[in-house]
Amino acid sequence: MRPSRTGAKTLLAAVALAASLVSARPSHAEVVLAPSPEGYIGAWLLAGPLPRRSGPADVSMPLPAAGAPVGERLGWLTWSLRDGGTGPLDLNQKFGPKERRAALATVLSVPSEVEALLLVSADGYLTVGLDGQTVFTRPIPHLRGFGLDPIPLTLAPGDHTLTLLLERRGGPWNVEARLVSRADLEPPPGVRLKYPGTTDAEAQALAAKLSHVTVRAGLVPAGYQPRVVVEFPRGAPVDPSVHVQVSETLKGAALGSPIDAGALPIDGGGAEPLTVFLPAVPANHRGSVPDDIAVTVASGTTRHSPALDGVAPALAERLLAVRASVQEGKHPTLYDPEVVVASATELVRELGALADRGDGFLPSVEKRAASFVDAVEQDRDPILEPGVQILALPSPVDGEPDGMRVHVPRSYKPGEARKYPLVVVLHGYQGSPAGVMNAFLGTESLAPHPAVDGFVIAPNAHGDAFYRGPGEVTVIDAISWALRTYPIDPDRVSITGISMGGTGATHIAFRYPDLFTTVAALAGYHSHFVRRDVTGKPLRAWEWMELSRWSPVSYAENGKDLFLYATQGTQDLPLVHTTSLADRWRMLGYDLKEDYPEIGHDVWRIAWKDASLFPLLTGRRRVTDPTHIVYRTDCLRLGKRAWVNVTDLESWGVPARVDARVAAKDTVVVHTSGTDGLQVTRPVRWIKEATPLTVVVDGQKFPVGTEPTLAVSKDAGGRWVAGARERAPGEKRAGLEGPIRDAWSAPLAFVYGTLDPAQTNATRELAEHFEARYGGSAKYPVIADVALPKSMMDTHSLFLVGSPAANAVVRDLDAGLTFGITDAGVREPRGTLTGDDELGFLYVQPNPWNPSRYVVLLEAKNARGLFRALSLPMQLPDFIVYDSRVAPAAGQQVLADASVLAAGYFDRNWALPADFSDRIAISAGRDGSWWVPPSEPRTPAGAPKAPPP
């Protein structure tokens, strides 16, 4: 039950009563906090847990104080200083998972009047009070996710009591807040946060807890330039006695005197980072080198042990020299100079990262890097050397080196005619190619594995991109490279993975079934419909579609010619993550093996032990010329399966399905749904070139004769006719068909607007947020509108943030855009959509300046509307128009309790559908099947007219 307005006032009153005791407390030197450069408030006075009825209804808000009781009727509760360190404040850590109510307070010291914006991100219910008055109440509880509530405040000079009243019903309970000026979204000059009743000792302790210390080895070819960076991402105490000191030791003995970096760097805007450079260490050092660096911030000390050995700098210098010589064409015998250059670059990066961390893997990587350099310098090709090679491919998405491990078998000799199998191995969340290769082979050795007589490739695929979008593109690129580079039998390619990689293995295998023979999914997550934040929730038609895209089980029928091995530990609950796929596979009658050992999530310790899965993965051959094809696709980019190609969809948002069979020596029979364009290529293994061919499509016969292909399309009456449909300019096509997240699958530049100072920081933050949202570790450029190179229009899709008043590129494009921001609301071709002050939209369309690339538009009337875009769910269609009512979707896959003004898919001509209102219409089962509930007798717009087969 959410708090009523009266209930909120009651809680505020309980908080306020502490003021009666403040004047009686002895004087203390209270903590004064400067916000971070982003305006974060890093500490609060906390009271709780609060009972459900916590005080009288009189609302006045004098100052609370540390150690003071919370009112006469709540005398057993007292205020205490609390912080979340360098992140949000976790109230579950303080109160435990059962408690429900708490209050936070601080005093804002304001030197001059400011129109401010309070940005609060909190789980559950939220009420905000300023000087005893309620200024904001959240009507619906929800997870905070990335979302925040932008709350306008007017602050006169003087002290103001800011109070947050929090309540939740189980689950996470985190909160964080920022205070910025509405004029420029910077911390208001001179505004400080005060905590009455606190002490100098608490200021010292708070400074230590709010600090984030990073020690970098600073690998350079000449040696190391170590440095210490101390940041305060949630603010820092304003206290000249709080200093930063750095000391170096070797085997416990001090190396020189400690370095006193002085007081914390605090200016009018807030707490700035502090960088301390330590004495340089030459590459050929023979003297004393620290093995421990201690960084003391006030009363707290952290210790760091970077690896400053004498090997990595020299190796880095050699790698850079080799890279330069290859780029200059001095090694003409290399099979793939581009990959050698990328691999040298990645090895330098990896050496630096391992040196920074003091990682134990550094010696083994140094050994492999030395072998790599030796090979190039001696005009041998490191790509072709037996063993586990540390390589990198230039990513087709961002052009940056994307690391991978490649196992080259001991028996391989360049130039021989023998063909080998290939196994593609995908790592899990926050995993790495090195870790997953070690797990698959059962050893950390870089020598060729004696039991693995074949090639194994473990791509990074942009880290945690989930093998969708840029991750999917990079895996397919890595497979294509391996097939070009090594003597691999294309009929013996298999794929496997663990956890996130287990999901990726099935996703990629079902999307590209012509590539593989076998898929082995270990502890994967094969249906988004079984997630706790999806199960039982009513879905929009477009949400069903997007969840299906992310659910391999929804496309399981594409694996007709694949062998599936599925396994999950019985203690890794819920088992439905795997059984949802296994049940579907069994129902389809496909070839299946499943195991459920009594183990937790790390089922690969059994399944992959000592490379024992290699024979299963490589023991089958691909079905190259199937007589029976079952294929389902939601996009034209992946329309082809063997000798059938879906060339048109009836509507975007409804998958196409094809069931095609060689029915006789001269006949192919095809049944379809969801498509109005098809191409059938003669399956020459079964129907000879000289044999007159007849193709029957949904009961209509087409004599093909001896032609190699048949193209058919539907006429205006829905009947199939011979010939491909004539395409109009600007239609959706393969690779340019949406939805929004499809833009991340190719080079993409994020362009933030700088025309309006009141929005610039918001446009930049939103650009940075969406840059990382679907791309994993891909490095998409984030550029100001005034700095966008014209050449990038030809090479990149654009993600533009800001309205025409805020973004110069949007201003110039506005006339060619489907949606736009006006004073009245959101302009669309048939009228105007109106909402509240947080109105905005996000959508994708072809770039009017370069129709071969996407442009994605995120626009809002003001900074509040831009920040509200952080509440958009993960699953998004072609377009979505929102206002503050989207808030409950923060951190969710789907809208659930939230609502929007409009959402859906454009038609094939990038035109809006007749009905794009927000209408809940679909409920989904764990296998992605759907039905229209009895309360919705009409078929929802954009949904199939009957359940998909």
Side-chain angles (χ1 to χ4, degrees):
M1 179 177 178
R2 61 184 175 87
S4 65
R5 190 173 183 86
T6 302
K9 291 182 178 179
T10 300
L11 285 176
L12 282 168
V15 173
L17 290 180
S20 62
L21 298 167
V22 173
S23 59
R25 291 180 55 81
S27 175
H28 290 278
E30 65 187 11
V31 173
V32 177
L33 193 72
S36 75
E38 293 78 26
Y40 279 101
I41 301 171
W44 297 90
L45 292 173
L46 170 64
L50 296 176
R52 293 190 178 185
R53 298 190 178 185
S54 45
D58 178 29
V59 178
S60 59
M61 188 53 65
L63 304 181
V70 182
E72 296 178 355
R73 296 176 60 180
L74 294 173
W76 70 94
L77 286 177
T78 58
W79 295 97
S80 60
L81 185 66
R82 295 288 172 176
D83 66 273
T86 58
L89 176 60
D90 185 348
L91 296 176
N92 276 340
Q93 288 187 352
K94 168 63 178 174
F95 298 125
K98 294 183 179 180
E99 299 301 339
R100 293 184 173 182
R101 286 187 171 188
L104 302 178
T106 187
V107 176
L108 304 177
S109 178
V110 180
S112 58
E113 182 171 333
V114 59
E115 296 293 323
L117 199 61
L118 180 69
L119 305 172
V120 184
S121 179
D123 293 306
Y125 290 102
L126 169 67
T127 300
V128 179
L130 182 68
D131 297 330
Q133 300 296 318
T134 300
V135 295
F136 176 82
T137 298
R138 176 183 290 173
I140 301 175
H142 57 76
L143 297 176
R144 67 191 195 96
F146 296 113
L148 46 78
D149 289 303
I151 305 163
L153 302 176
T154 299
L155 301 174
D159 287 352
H160 300 273
T161 301
L162 176 66
T163 308
L164 308 184
L165 302 175
L166 305 162
E167 182 178 356
R168 65 94 164 86
R169 297 283 191 268
W173 201 12
N174 296 284
V175 60
E176 58 186 346
R178 298 162 59 187
L179 185 72
V180 295
S181 167
R182 277 182 266 170
D184 57 9
L185 301 181
E186 300 281 353
V191 169
R192 296 293 180 256
L193 310 159
K194 300 195 299 187
Y195 306 88
T198 52
T199 65
D200 288 338
E202 287 175 302
Q204 295 280 330
L206 185 62
K209 289 189 287 183
L210 295 181
S211 64
H212 180 264
V213 177
T214 305
V215 175
R216 303 289 189 194
L219 176 66
V220 293
Y224 299 94
Q225 177 53 75
R227 64 188 183 278
V228 174
V229 179
V230 183
E231 299 172 283
F232 298 90
R234 293 299 184 270
V238 182
D239 188 335
S241 68
V242 175
H243 278 225
V244 175
Q245 287 191 329
V246 182
S247 58
E248 299 177 296
T249 59
L250 174 62
K251 297 180 179 180
L255 295 177
S257 301
I259 300 171
D260 189 340
L264 305 186
I266 295 174
D267 61 16
E272 297 291 337
L274 174 68
T275 300
V276 181
F277 287 92
L278 305 180
V281 177
N284 59 352
H285 65 77
R286 294 292 184 271
S288 297
V289 177
D291 59 12
D292 181 85
I293 297 174
V295 182
T296 300
V297 181
S299 60
T301 300
T302 57
R303 315 195 78 89
H304 309 264
S305 300
L308 305 179
D309 69 9
V311 177
L315 270 177
E317 189 168 17
R318 290 179 66 198
L319 284 164
L320 294 174
V322 158
R323 184 181 68 177
S325 67
V326 173
Q327 289 172 324
E328 294 167 3
K330 295 180 179 179
H331 301 274
T333 61
L334 291 174
Y335 173 79
D336 196 332
E338 188 178 33
V339 169
V340 172
V341 167
S343 301
T345 303
E346 179 66 10
L347 278 166
V348 172
R349 186 209 62 79
E350 190 163 352
L351 289 172
L354 294 175
D356 287 345
R357 297 198 304 263
D359 198 294
F361 279 109
L362 181 60
S364 65
V365 174
E366 288 175 336
K367 180 179 178 181
R368 178 52 59 190
S371 175
F372 179 92
V373 174
D374 289 344
V376 179
E377 290 177 341
Q378 296 166 19
D379 283 326
R380 293 183 288 112
D381 197 329
I383 294 173
L384 308 179
E385 298 268 313
V388 177
Q389 302 297 336
I390 302 176
L391 301 174
L393 284 176
S395 168
V397 173
D398 63 4
E400 295 290 326
D402 201 63
M404 63 181 177
R405 294 293 192 270
V406 179
H407 174 270
V408 179
R410 187 186 305 277
S411 61
Y412 167 64
K413 293 180 176 57
E416 290 190 349
R418 180 185 173 186
K419 297 288 187 178
Y420 291 84
L422 171 67
V423 177
V424 182
V425 183
L426 305 182
H427 65 76
Y429 187 74
Q430 295 188 343
S432 68
V436 78
M437 183 68 83
N438 293 343
F440 181 75
L441 297 178
T443 176
E444 295 181 3
S445 171
L446 296 176
H449 197 290
V452 179
D453 193 22
F455 289 87
V456 182
I457 185 168
N460 185 46
H462 300 294
D464 296 333
F466 288 87
Y467 304 105
R468 272 81 167 190
E472 174 188 315
V473 169
T474 300
V475 169
I476 298 303
D477 187 61
I479 294 172
S480 299
W481 175 83
L483 292 171
R484 293 194 309 269
T485 304
Y486 301 113
I488 291 169
D489 183 349
D491 295 336
R492 297 177 66 198
V493 178
S494 57
I495 189 167
T496 184
I498 56 178
S499 192
M500 179 185 79
T503 316
T506 53
H507 170 81
I508 290 174
F510 300 166
R511 295 291 183 155
Y512 302 86
D514 288 344
L515 283 178
F516 304 103
T517 63
T518 300
V519 53
L522 283 62
Y525 310 93
H526 305 292
S527 174
H528 256 50
F529 294 95
V530 306
R531 291 175 58 107
R532 283 180 293 179
D533 55 357
V534 173
T535 300
K537 296 185 184 300
L539 303 174
R540 285 80 174 165
W542 59 266
E543 290 177 323
W544 173 83
M545 183 65 186
E546 294 308 312
L547 289 168
S548 294
R549 290 187 208 273
W550 273 67
S551 299
V553 70
S554 296
Y555 294 84
E557 56 192 323
N558 292 358
K560 178 181 173 297
D561 297 317
L562 300 175
F563 174 74
L564 172 66
Y565 173 59
T567 181
Q568 182 178 339
T570 58
Q571 300 169 33
D572 182 20
L573 300 176
L575 283 175
V576 70
H577 284 306
T578 294
T579 59
S580 61
L581 175 60
D583 291 348
R584 175 66 172 153
W585 206 261
R586 192 180 298 105
M587 184 182 73
L588 290 165
Y590 294 174
D591 203 353
L592 169 69
K593 178 183 178 182
E594 53 186 326
D595 283 325
Y596 300 97
E598 294 184 6
I599 195 174
H601 191 55
D602 55 343
V603 70
W604 49 89
R605 289 197 296 111
I606 294 176
W608 282 356
K609 186 178 181 181
D610 299 327
S612 59
L613 204 63
F614 183 76
L616 180 145
L617 287 164
T618 58
R620 295 167 59 96
R621 298 189 66 81
R622 178 171 60 121
V623 178
T624 55
D625 294 292
T627 59
H628 183 200
I629 293 172
V630 179
Y631 190 58
R632 189 183 193 200
T633 184
D634 51 41
C635 62
L636 298 179
R637 179 174 62 86
L638 298 174
K640 190 174 188 304
R641 167 74 171 103
W643 39 270
V644 172
N645 188 13
V646 174
T647 57
D648 273 309
L649 301 178
E650 284 186 353
S651 65
W652 272 257
V654 181
R657 184 180 184 273
V658 175
D659 188 315
R661 188 187 300 269
V662 177
K665 293 182 179 181
D666 61 354
T667 305
V668 168
V669 176
V670 184
H671 298 283
T672 74
S673 66
T675 176
D676 55 10
L678 196 68
Q679 185 181 65
V680 178
T681 300
R682 178 187 296 266
V684 293
R685 181 177 177 184
W686 311 108
I687 301 178
K688 303 303 180 184
E689 294 179 358
T691 302
L693 170 65
T694 297
V695 178
V696 182
V697 183
D698 295 332
Q700 295 179 236
K701 291 185 178 181
F702 294 91
V704 180
T706 58
E707 293 297 317
T709 62
L710 168 71
V712 293
S713 57
K714 285 184 179 177
D715 62 17
R719 287 185 55 81
W720 289 104
V721 295
R725 183 180 58 82
E726 185 176 347
R727 292 184 176 276
E731 279 191 15
K732 286 188 172 183
R733 59 174 177 78
L736 199 74
E737 54 190 315
I740 290 168
R741 68 188 310 152
D742 193 52
W744 277 255
S745 299
L748 177 64
F750 290 78
V751 184
Y752 62 92
T754 61
L755 300 183
D756 182 0
Q759 296 189 55
T760 298
N761 276 354
T763 61
R764 177 181 51 78
E765 287 186 32
L766 268 295
E768 292 170 348
H769 167 81
F770 279 97
E771 184 272 333
R773 193 173 205 191
Y774 300 126
S777 61
K779 298 179 177 64
Y780 303 100
V782 179
I783 307 169
D785 51 358
V786 294
L788 179 67
K790 289 185 178 180
S791 60
M792 196 166 277
M793 299 287 186
D794 298 325
T795 58
H796 288 67
S797 294
L798 303 180
F799 188 114
L800 306 177
V801 186
S803 67
N807 190 308
V809 181
V810 176
R811 178 195 61 198
D812 295 342
L813 277 175
D814 191 54
L817 302 177
T818 302
F819 292 103
I821 288 290
T822 69
D823 291 339
V826 172
R827 179 199 72 227
E828 53 96 358
R830 297 190 294 264
T832 299
L833 299 172
T834 59
D836 59 29
D837 285 344
E838 296 174 16
L839 180 66
F841 62 79
L842 176 65
Y843 86 103
V844 64
Q845 72 166 68
N847 187 342
W849 289 346
N850 181 4
S852 66
R853 300 281 181 176
Y854 285 122
V855 62
V856 184
L857 280 299
L858 173 57
E859 297 186 34
K861 295 181 70 173
N862 50 40
R864 291 175 63 190
L866 289 171
F867 283 126
R868 181 53 70 196
L870 295 171
S871 298
L872 288 169
M874 289 296 291
Q875 306 299 335
L876 297 171
D878 287 355
F879 64 88
I880 189 164
V881 183
Y882 64 86
D883 63 7
S884 66
R885 288 167 287 186
V886 78
Q892 301 293 314
Q893 291 293 315
V894 296
L895 288 169
D897 295 328
S899 63
V900 295
L901 280 72
Y905 301 101
F906 295 112
D907 68 14
R908 64 162 42 100
N909 296 308
W910 292 97
L912 288 169
D915 180 10
F916 51 69
S917 60
D918 182 29
R919 184 143 55 93
I920 297 173
I922 291 177
S923 297
R926 72 182 194 181
D927 62 350
S929 62
W930 70 274
W931 60 91
V932 178
S935 60
E936 285 281 346
R938 293 179 300 169
T939 300
K945 296 179 181 179

